[in-house]
Amino acid sequence: MQPEYVTLLSVKVKEVLCALERFAPLPLQESWDNAGLQVGLTEAEVSGALLCLDVTESIIDEAVSRGCNLVVSHHPLLFRGLKTISDLTDVQRTVMKAIQQQVCVVSMHTNMDNARGGVNFHMAEKLGLADVVFMSPKRVGDAECGSGVIGILPEPMASDDFVIKLKKTFDVECAQCNELLHRKISRVALCGGAGDFLLDDAVREGADAFVTGEMHYHQYFGYEQQLQICVIGHYQSEQYTTEVFRDIINHDCPDVRTEIAETNTNPILYI
C-alpha cells in the first residue's frame, strides 16, 4: 500500500510555477533553451513536488511512488519539439508516462543559472565564498543577471587542498585539472554545467581558479601557472540546484510538500 500524503492547503501548479519564475524569470534563459512548463495542466492541485536535475522515466516513477504530481527539474525534458509521442525514445516514453500518471513537469534551466541566488550562487555558497558577484553581468529588463560568478575563499588555499575541498563539497570521485598552481588560491570563478565559454572571463577577472562541470580538451592548454582549472562533472556541479528549488517553494508556497529526488540520473559512470 502506498503511503498517503496530504497537502495542508490547496495550491495549484501555476502558483508554484509563478514562484519559480519570479525568482528566475524566463527571459533570463538563453535563446536556445526551453525552460518553463514542459508537461501538464497548471490548474492541477499540487499533491507534492519532486525536485531533480533531469527528468527520466525513473523520476516519474519516483514522483508517483512518493505521492508527487509535480516534478521540478533543472534540465528541461523537452529541448526540441516532438513530432511523435510513442515508445521510440526515452524522452517520448517519459512524456507518455508523465501524461498517463498525471504528473506535471516544470523545468528551470539557464534562467536559474543566470539568476541572482541561482545555481552558481548556490555553488559559491557551498564553497564558502565571500563577496560573490556575477562574472559576466548584464541586465534583462529590470533584472540583473549573468553567466558565472566569482568570489573569495575565507582563507587562501594551496591548490591541492583546494581540489580536495572541491571533491569533498561536491562528492566528486575525481576532478580534471591542469597543472597544479604553485601559488595559493584565493579568488575563485565558477559556472555550473558546461561553463568552458567563461574560461577567459575568469582570467580577465583575476581568478586564481576556475571551477565548472565540463570543458573541452584543448582548452586545458595555455593556462599553466596562470589559472587553476578544475572540472568536476556536469551532474556533480549542478546537483544542489534541487536545494534552490526547495527553498523557493518552501518560502513562497509553504503548503506544498517538497521532496528531493533520490534517483541519481547521472548517465556517466566512473569505473
Side-chain angles (χ1 to χ4, degrees):
M1 179 179 295
Q2 295 292 343
E4 292 187 3
Y5 298 95
V6 178
T7 300
L8 297 178
L9 295 175
S10 173
V11 180
K12 294 183 177 181
V13 169
K14 66 180 181 182
E15 296 175 69
V16 177
L17 182 59
C18 285
L20 292 165
E21 291 184 5
R22 277 194 300 271
F23 186 93
L26 291 183
L28 270 57
Q29 70 180 311
E30 302 297 332
S31 60
W32 47 264
D33 202 6
N34 187 41
L37 180 68
Q38 307 281 296
V39 177
L41 302 176
T42 59
E43 290 293 331
E45 294 182 359
V46 181
S47 62
L50 184 72
L51 317 177
C52 60
L53 198 65
D54 311 288
V55 188
T56 63
E57 289 185 86
S58 60
I59 284 290
I60 301 300
D61 289 337
E62 182 179 348
V64 173
S65 70
R66 298 176 74 174
C68 298
N69 67 345
L70 173 61
V71 167
V72 179
S73 72
H74 183 43
H75 297 142
L77 172 60
L78 300 172
F79 270 110
R80 304 169 186 85
L82 295 178
K83 293 185 178 181
T84 304
I85 299 179
S86 67
D87 61 353
L88 186 63
T89 68
D90 59 335
V91 171
Q92 292 180 29
R93 290 191 296 272
T94 303
V95 170
M96 283 188 65
K97 180 167 285 191
I99 293 172
Q100 290 169 342
Q101 298 293 337
Q102 298 184 28
V103 174
C104 296
V105 178
V106 167
S107 302
M108 296 284 116
H109 191 211
T110 52
N111 54 321
M112 190 61 70
D113 290 328
N114 293 335
R116 176 170 292 281
V119 177
N120 297 317
F121 279 86
H122 198 56
M123 287 178 65
E125 181 181 346
K126 289 287 185 181
L127 284 173
L129 301 186
D131 302 325
V132 179
V133 296
F134 287 114
M135 187 157 46
S136 294
K138 58 184 178 181
R139 295 197 71 84
V140 175
D142 295 330
E144 181 191 12
C145 59
S147 300
V149 299
I150 190 166
I152 308 296
L153 285 168
E155 295 181 1
M157 301 181 68
S159 57
D160 54 348
D161 290 334
F162 177 71
V163 173
I164 291 171
K165 178 181 177 67
L166 267 181
K167 292 174 65 176
K168 181 177 180 180
T169 301
F170 293 96
D171 192 22
V172 173
E173 296 181 48
C174 62
Q176 293 178 296
C177 306
N178 63 343
E179 179 181 273
L180 289 179
L181 208 61
H182 295 166
R183 69 175 188 274
K184 288 192 174 183
I185 292 171
S186 179
R187 192 166 172 82
V188 178
L190 57 84
C191 180
D196 54 7
F197 66 99
L198 289 171
L199 181 58
D200 289 330
D201 294 78
V203 173
R204 186 192 66 239
E205 294 298 321
D208 301 307
F210 176 62
V211 180
T212 191
E214 59 180 279
M215 206 168 78
H216 289 87
Y217 171 80
H218 291 286
Q219 290 181 291
Y220 287 84
F221 289 98
Y223 296 92
E224 295 81 5
Q225 298 310 312
Q226 183 179 24
L227 181 77
Q228 184 67 67
I229 295 171
C230 302
V231 179
I232 61 174
H234 196 125
Y235 182 95
Q236 291 86 342
S237 69
E238 295 182 328
Q239 62 185 302
Y240 299 122
T241 304
T242 53
E243 297 177 354
V244 180
F245 295 154
R246 180 195 60 198
D247 293 346
I248 294 168
I249 296 171
N250 287 353
H251 182 271
D252 287 8
C253 303
D255 292 302
V256 172
R257 176 175 56 87
T258 56
E259 305 279 1
I260 291 179
E262 296 175 353
T263 302
N264 185 328
T265 58
N266 189 358
I268 301 172
L269 298 179
Y270 301 86
I271 299 173

